[in-house]
Amino acid sequence: MTKRHIAYLACATTLVGTVIGAAPASAAHKTLVVHPGQSIQKAVNSAKAGDTVFVLAGTYRESVTVKTAGLTLRGAGPGTVIQPPKKKTKPAPHGKKAAVTCLSDGNGICVVGGKNKPVKDVTVSDLKVTGFAKSGVFTMGTDHLTVKRVIAEHNGQWGIAQEHSTRGVFRNNTARSNGDAGIFLANNVKAEQGATDSKGAVIDHNRLEANRIGITVRRLRNLAVTRNYVLGNCAGVFVVGDENKPRAGALTVSDNLVDRNNKFCPKTARLPYLKGSGIVLTGTEKALVTRNRVTGHTGKSPLSGGIVLFKSFVGATSEQNRITANHLANNSPADLVNQEAAKTRNAFTGNSCRVSKPAGLC
């Protein structure tokens, strides 16, 4: 890459500080500016810890992998668009196995750390990722990753996804029309194992629209799902555990607007068909679901309803959860649905609603 292709600008430069809206940083940290037609990945490969790769508005047909701690990958807003390349990747030479890359795995942006050494303090912001076979943004083995003001739409599986990570922050993103969850957080996608401590991950102020599921949290503990707008998915918010120990839970779902998630999605190997589910807890313990506004859901799936405690197909019960101070209206078959036995000690208190199954929860 020539000097013309990537400009190394000191962060104290007035022009760059104005364009990217950042205060001047240490002179040791650089901003690498990528113009349309240039390679984001080459800039990322050239960056050092603490540097910013600033991608100007335009369409970039590539996949990007970040492995550098402290790096910021920032676009100029929705006009910075990352899409799959038009050309297919070349096959591996005969007799050799092709290396798995972010692109070959179907992802747009990947932030990847080591198995026992997470990559720390990476930020991805202010861009759009669209049209990838699997995920718009996929992160694994990270600590204190921040994804903000990202639009992830029309990706085959997840809009924004994370596994094997801690202290992630997902804020002010838009995820729409993705094949599975708009935002997906899990301990491990493939292995069946107990829930892990996310150490305070945050999913906050995001818009999740027209996905299969707005937000999925699978086999995690100690996180917050707050102040999101979840509209027009097949299901709004899923908190999922199973028979493994420790259980998923000890988390908070609060102050979300969950409205009319009435798309139809066919059944999968894990779940029945989905339609009309607001907030669903399955195989979850000690979760707090509070101050959410859940309205306008209708469906006849076993998971349909405003707030639903669902006994999982592997027999994992939801226990000791608190459903309190939520406002629910116009949800069918009921505003509150509890499929668990009384001995599971789930508490429904102070909710504003009209209909529950069984009766008496409102």
Side-chain angles (χ1 to χ4, degrees):
M1 180 172 295
T2 66
K3 291 182 179 178
R4 181 174 63 85
H5 287 156
I6 299 180
Y8 290 78
L9 303 178
C11 287
T13 301
T14 303
L15 176 60
V16 173
T18 301
V19 171
I20 66 176
S26 166
H29 295 161
K30 304 291 185 179
T31 296
L32 291 73
V33 180
V34 184
H35 296 261
Q38 299 169 358
S39 169
I40 302 171
Q41 187 65 63
K42 286 184 180 180
V44 168
N45 292 347
S46 299
K48 307 298 183 183
D51 287 352
T52 294
V53 174
F54 177 51
V55 186
L56 296 176
T59 298
Y60 299 81
R61 291 192 171 273
E62 61 177 301
S63 184
V64 182
T65 299
V66 177
K67 296 184 178 181
T68 303
L71 185 141
T72 295
L73 175 61
R74 179 185 301 160
T80 300
V81 181
I82 299 176
Q83 294 181 339
K86 291 182 178 180
K87 295 181 180 179
K88 294 183 178 180
T89 55
K90 295 180 180 180
H94 182 68
K96 292 187 177 181
K97 187 176 180 180
V100 177
T101 65
C102 186
L103 179 60
S104 70
D105 210 28
N107 301 310
I109 297 173
C110 294
V111 183
V112 183
K115 184 176 181 181
N116 298 311
K117 188 178 180 181
V119 61
K120 295 186 177 183
D121 300 316
V122 171
T123 297
V124 178
S125 72
D126 299 285
L127 48 79
K128 180 189 292 188
V129 191
T130 182
F132 286 88
K134 193 171 182 183
S135 300
V137 178
F138 178 77
T139 70
M140 179 172 64
T142 70
D143 179 53
H144 201 229
L145 168 87
T146 299
V147 180
K148 59 184 180 180
R149 298 186 298 276
V150 167
I151 298 172
E153 62 182 14
H154 300 293
N155 299 290
Q157 189 169 13
W158 302 310
I160 300 168
Q162 182 175 80
E163 63 173 306
H164 289 300
S165 297
T166 53
R167 299 194 299 164
V169 177
F170 304 86
R171 181 169 283 133
N172 296 123
N173 302 291
T174 297
R176 65 168 69 93
S177 300
N178 298 287
D180 192 67
I183 294 180
F184 176 88
L185 268 61
N187 61 346
N188 189 307
V189 173
K190 296 180 180 179
E192 296 290 336
Q193 60 186 39
T196 55
D197 186 348
S198 81
K199 298 184 179 179
V202 174
I203 304 172
D204 177 67
H205 263 121
N206 303 282
R207 183 181 179 97
L208 298 313
E209 185 175 5
N211 307 284
R212 184 171 183 270
I213 301 172
I215 298 169
T216 297
V217 175
R218 185 191 296 175
R219 296 195 298 262
L220 287 175
R221 298 174 69 85
N222 185 18
L223 59 90
V225 179
T226 62
R227 300 181 294 180
N228 301 284
Y229 183 29
V230 190
L231 168 69
N233 308 279
C234 301
V237 179
F238 257 48
V239 182
V240 183
D242 54 29
E243 71 274 25
N244 294 291
K245 300 292 178 67
R247 290 179 179 269
L251 52 82
T252 299
V253 180
S254 70
D255 302 285
N256 300 284
L257 175 57
V258 185
D259 185 37
R260 291 171 290 162
N261 292 282
N262 292 324
K263 273 181 63 180
F264 173 85
C265 289
K267 68 177 182 179
T268 66
R270 298 183 68 94
L271 290 172
Y273 81 88
L274 298 177
K275 183 180 184 299
S277 297
I279 299 172
V280 178
L281 306 183
T282 176
T284 304
E285 69 172 8
K286 299 179 181 178
L288 173 63
V289 181
T290 186
R291 300 189 305 274
N292 300 284
R293 187 176 183 89
V294 186
T295 56
H297 298 90
T298 181
K300 295 183 179 180
S301 165
L303 295 159
S304 297
I307 298 176
V308 180
L309 268 62
F310 177 75
K311 189 171 183 178
S312 73
F313 289 113
V314 295
T317 55
S318 293
E319 301 182 1
Q320 302 180 63
N321 299 288
R322 288 189 296 144
I323 317 301
T324 182
N326 300 282
H327 175 81
L328 303 104
N330 302 319
N331 300 290
S332 175
D335 295 317
L336 297 175
V337 179
N338 183 13
Q339 300 181 13
E340 301 291 358
K343 64 181 181 180
T344 54
R345 292 181 292 167
N346 296 295
F348 294 80
T349 60
N351 298 290
S352 172
C353 59
R354 295 185 62 185
V355 181
S356 69
K357 295 182 70 173
L361 301 179
C362 290

